[in-house]
Amino acid sequence: MSGEKPPEVYIQIGNEKYETKLGTYCWKGTCVDMAGPVELLEGKEPIKVNPGEKISFIMDYEPKPNEFHLTQISENNENEVLVKENSFLAPTQKGVYYYSYGVWWMDEKEANLSHGDAFYAFVLEVM
């Protein structure tokens, strides 16, 4: 795994690219514990999206993580969101939604051995 920290992750909506905020991670034997997405993004302007809009993850790094989970947090509810081909769809209900995108670089041969993991936070506002 190269670099001092996990690679940056961007989200793409239409032709626009937006940064995500790196949260908790373990990388090269160092683990850093950060606040959850809501606390991490306090005071940050949400990214405005249309209901049901396609949102893609972009990571310019090899190897790509081989396990990932996306959690949506809204009004103290947490839901797992399906990610398919590095994309997901924005909620259809208006409101502000926080996300935690967790990725893992798992060993190809040894079960449960992770070479690194990272969580990325971002906030969307469905208009």
Side-chain angles (χ1 to χ4, degrees):
M1 311 305 286
S2 62
E4 290 305 304
K5 283 182 168 176
E8 291 184 341
V9 169
Y10 298 91
I11 57 172
Q12 183 167 344
I13 303 165
N15 295 326
E16 294 289 318
K17 249 171 84 168
Y18 303 90
E19 291 183 348
T20 62
K21 180 118 172 118
L22 178 62
T24 299
Y25 66 88
C26 285
W27 197 255
K28 289 187 158 178
T30 302
C31 291
V32 175
D33 200 14
M34 303 285 272
V38 177
E39 294 82 10
L40 261 183
L41 298 168
E42 199 172 334
K44 189 157 169 49
E45 190 65 30
I47 300 162
K48 294 179 177 18
V49 297
N50 294 317
E53 195 162 13
K54 182 180 176 181
I55 299 158
S56 302
F57 292 106
I58 298 171
M59 180 188 290
D60 189 15
Y61 184 83
E62 292 297 334
K64 297 276 188 256
N66 50 10
E67 190 176 311
F68 41 86
H69 293 278
L70 181 63
T71 304
Q72 173 188 292
I73 302 147
S74 127
E75 297 170 9
N76 298 328
N77 289 330
E78 284 195 21
N79 298 306
E80 181 88 13
V81 177
L82 180 67
V83 177
K84 213 167 157 186
E85 294 167 8
N86 291 327
S87 301
F88 71 101
L89 299 177
T92 53
Q93 302 280 325
K94 287 182 179 181
V96 175
Y97 300 87
Y98 289 86
Y99 290 88
S100 176
Y101 181 54
V103 298
W104 289 262
W105 285 265
M106 300 303 289
D107 194 275
E108 299 282 320
K109 298 179 181 74
E110 200 171 323
N112 302 323
L113 174 62
S114 171
H115 292 289
D117 62 69
F119 289 85
Y120 301 89
F122 57 97
V123 56
L124 302 177
E125 184 175 1
V126 178
M127 304 305 285

